[in-house]
Amino acid sequence: QVQLVESGGGLVQAGGSLRLSCAASGGIFSINVMAWYRQAPGKQRELVAAITRGGSTNYADSVKGRFTISRDNAKNTVYLQMNSLKPEDTANYYCNADVSRWNGERFTYYWGQGTQVTVSS
């Protein structure tokens, strides 16, 4: 069973920073794309940032220049460095990974349980 475990959320004042981590485990052969999504109350889940195994990145316009996604392929871990946080960044942040496993399973998307980020004004 694949598990994605997020950490690093919390409460921060506007202008502050947080770093989220997501570690994947469970018979993993490789991970293609790793990504962070977020969902605020009453809103749809949206893509925040994504990174390929080779390091190519993609960001939502709302976070460009403030957030940085990175990954450690050896640790099957993805990070999201969030700077200059705004109240509108408040949401539950979810990790997503496109996983291939040693048991033959290929390119299956898995989700973490989410970590809450709250930015006060």
Side-chain angles (χ1 to χ4, degrees):
Q1 182 73 14
V2 173
Q3 284 191 315
L4 274 61
V5 180
E6 298 121 331
S7 60
L11 173 64
V12 64
Q13 288 188 334
S17 298
L18 284 173
R19 188 188 193 218
L20 306 183
S21 299
C22 171
S25 62
I28 295 172
F29 172 68
S30 69
I31 302 177
N32 184 17
V33 178
M34 301 188 83
W36 289 96
Y37 287 74
R38 66 185 181 188
Q39 187 168 19
K43 294 189 176 181
Q44 288 189 333
R45 190 172 295 190
E46 63 175 357
L47 176 67
V48 176
I51 184 168
T52 67
R53 185 171 182 82
S56 297
T57 58
N58 182 44
Y59 295 93
D61 287 343
S62 59
V63 306
K64 282 180 181 176
R66 300 188 297 122
F67 291 10
T68 302
I69 190 170
S70 60
R71 65 188 282 175
D72 183 333
N73 291 330
K75 296 181 179 180
N76 289 331
T77 299
V78 63
Y79 306 97
L80 186 68
Q81 178 66 44
M82 305 185 293
N83 299 329
S84 302
L85 282 161
K86 304 176 181 179
E88 50 264 44
D89 294 319
T90 296
N92 208 357
Y93 283 69
Y94 296 90
C95 174
N96 178 271
D98 177 12
V99 174
S100 295
R101 302 179 68 198
W102 289 105
N103 65 0
E105 181 179 309
R106 290 291 181 264
F107 308 116
T108 302
Y109 285 94
Y110 287 89
W111 291 93
Q113 80 287 352
T115 185
Q116 178 67 34
V117 171
T118 303
V119 184
S120 63
S121 57

